[in-house]
Amino acid sequence: MKRTLLRLTAALALAAGFAAPADANTLKMIRDRGKIICGTSPGVAGFSTQDANGRWEGFDIDICRALAAIIFNDTEKAGFVPLTSKDRLIALQAGEIDVLPRTTTWTLSRNAGQGVTFTTVNYYDGQGFMVSKKLGVSSAAQLGGASVCVAQGTTSELNLADYFRKLGKKYEAAAFGTSEEALKAYESGRCDAYTTDISALSAVRLKLQDLDSHVILPEVVSKEPLGPWVRTGDETWFNLVRWTVLALINAEELGITKANVKEMLKSSNPEVKRFLGLDGKMGEAMGVSNDWVVRIISAVGNYGESFEQHLGESSRLKLSRGPNELWNKGGIQYSPPFR
C-alpha cells in the first residue's frame, strides 16, 4: 500500500509538471539504511541480468556496485529493484530507489520539471529495427505500411512516429506495457518489426528461439544518450553519481585497471596521484573517503573493462565500442579533468 501511494503521488506530480521534494541528504539516508537501492530493468543482456544464483550483473549494475564500493567498501551492499520503462522515473521520484542506472535516455522533457535529473552519459546508443529475414527487407525505409511492436513509456514511441512522418509513410504501432511483451508479440508474428535501442535489440535477439532468422536493420534513427538518473535537489548525491561514471572513463584513459590500481598508487605522475586520492581531498569534498576512486576500480575495473566484460567481444553481445570508445581513440567518451 505504501509503495502504491508513493507511486500515485509521484505520478500526479509528474502529470502536473512539478517535482516532489527531494531527500535532503541521500548519501546519509543510504548510510543509515546500510545499503544503496538501485533501479534496474527486468533483464537486458549485458546491461542488467541475474545469474543462476540470482545475483545481478551487467554494465549498468557495475555503476551501482561502484557506488556501494565507495560508500561501504562492499559491492554486495547494493539492492536492485526491477522496473518497467513506464515505472522507472516514477519510482525514482517517489523515493523507492536512490539512483536509476538502467538504460534511460537523456531528454529535455524528462530533465525539466519532473523531479529527476540526468547525471552523465555512460553509453551512447541509437534506435533501430529488427525484422524477420522472411519479411525480405534490408532497410528501415522499406517498412512503410508495416506494423511495429514497441514498448510504452519509452523514447522509442515518439522516435517511431517521427521517423515515419519524415519518410511520409504510414505504419501501425503496436504498443505494449513492457519490452518483454512487445518482444513476445513480435516473435509470435503479431508485428512485422520490433523497435528499441540498438544495444537492446542485440540483447533481446539472443532470447529468440531462432535468432539467426532475425536481422537488425542498418539504420540508426535517433540519438539515445543513456546514463544514471537521480532525484532533483540533492547536489552532493548528483555529483557523486556523475563523477563515479566519469572516474570509470578517466581510469581507462590513464591506463588504471582492476589489476594494476594498487601498483599505480606508487606512481609519481601528479595526475594519477591526484586522481587516486594521494594528493588533495576531492573525496572529502563529496562526502566520501579520498580513496573513493581506488575503491571503484578495485571493485569493477575501468570503463573499458566493464564494457568488454558485459558488452564487448568477451560477451555474448559482441558489440563494438563505436562512439563509446575514448575520445583519443576515435570515440566520444570523455571525462572532464579530475583537478
Side-chain angles (χ1 to χ4, degrees):
M1 179 64 73
K2 181 179 179 182
R3 176 172 289 187
T4 301
L5 289 173
L6 281 169
R7 288 195 178 183
L8 178 60
T9 301
L12 290 172
L14 287 172
F18 61 85
D23 296 298
N25 192 331
T26 306
L27 186 55
K28 181 180 183 302
M29 180 179 67
I30 293 169
R31 284 185 170 131
D32 290 345
R33 185 196 301 131
K35 69 176 181 179
I36 182 174
I37 301 176
C38 304
T40 184
S41 68
V44 176
F47 288 90
S48 54
T49 55
Q50 289 178 286
D51 64 16
N53 297 316
R55 186 178 186 273
W56 286 93
E57 56 187 17
F59 188 67
D60 291 337
I61 299 302
D62 275 358
I63 295 174
C64 192
R65 295 204 183 278
L67 288 164
I70 294 170
I71 301 167
F72 301 109
N73 204 20
D74 185 350
T75 60
E76 296 308 309
K77 289 191 175 182
F80 300 93
V81 179
L83 297 164
T84 64
S85 296
K86 62 182 179 181
D87 289 338
R88 53 192 166 176
L89 293 176
I90 293 174
L92 175 62
Q93 193 202 33
E96 293 183 33
I97 57 176
D98 303 314
V99 59
L100 180 67
R102 66 153 288 179
T103 50
T104 303
T105 303
W106 183 15
T107 68
L108 173 59
S109 60
R110 285 175 173 168
N111 216 150
Q114 292 196 20
V116 292
T117 301
F118 187 80
T119 56
T120 194
V121 179
N122 78 319
Y123 191 88
Y124 290 95
D125 210 343
Q127 186 173 332
F129 296 88
M130 180 167 62
V131 299
S132 169
K133 291 180 179 179
K134 293 179 181 179
L135 194 62
V137 302
S138 57
S139 167
Q142 298 173 289
L143 290 176
S147 57
V148 184
C149 284
V150 63
Q152 294 174 345
T154 64
T155 55
S156 299
E157 285 186 283
L158 178 60
N159 293 336
L160 179 63
D162 286 348
Y163 179 69
F164 280 98
R165 273 199 293 265
K166 285 187 288 187
L167 285 181
K169 295 182 178 181
K170 294 182 179 181
Y171 76 103
E172 178 186 346
F176 295 86
T178 67
S179 298
E180 190 68 28
E181 291 171 351
L183 180 65
K184 287 181 179 178
Y186 163 73
E187 189 173 19
S188 71
R190 184 170 173 181
C191 306
D192 298 310
Y194 174 65
T195 187
T196 187
D197 296 345
I198 296 289
S199 62
L201 287 178
S202 300
V204 299
R205 181 173 170 270
L206 298 175
K207 297 181 179 181
L208 301 178
Q209 290 185 355
D210 185 8
L211 62 88
D212 290 331
S213 295
H214 302 267
V215 61
I216 298 172
L217 298 177
E219 288 83 2
V220 179
V221 301
S222 71
K223 296 180 291 184
E224 305 296 326
L226 310 175
W229 291 75
V230 296
R231 280 184 296 282
T232 302
D234 189 338
E235 192 72 12
T236 298
W237 182 238
F238 166 84
N239 278 328
L240 185 58
V241 175
R242 167 188 269 184
W243 285 95
T244 294
V245 176
L246 295 174
L248 294 169
I249 297 169
N250 199 57
E252 182 183 9
E253 183 176 338
L254 290 175
I256 303 172
T257 68
K258 190 173 184 177
N260 73 12
V261 63
K262 297 296 174 62
E263 187 66 25
M264 293 294 278
L265 288 170
K266 302 174 185 177
S267 174
S268 60
N269 183 327
E271 185 178 4
V272 171
K273 293 181 70 173
R274 186 168 53 245
F275 181 57
L276 296 181
L278 299 173
D279 286 342
K281 297 182 179 180
M282 290 189 293
E284 289 181 22
M286 294 191 296
V288 296
S289 63
N290 288 323
D291 68 344
W292 65 288
V293 171
V294 177
R295 293 187 180 192
I296 291 173
I297 308 308
S298 297
V300 301
N302 64 36
Y303 180 89
E305 289 179 291
S306 179
F307 189 104
E308 181 60 25
Q309 177 185 354
H310 301 299
L311 307 176
E313 290 300 320
S314 299
S315 74
R316 293 178 66 201
L317 294 184
K318 301 189 182 305
L319 296 175
S320 66
R321 286 285 292 265
N324 295 293
E325 185 59 90
L326 294 180
W327 67 280
N328 55 4
K329 294 183 179 179
I332 58 176
Q333 276 294 5
Y334 186 101
S335 170
F338 276 71
R339 61 171 181 259

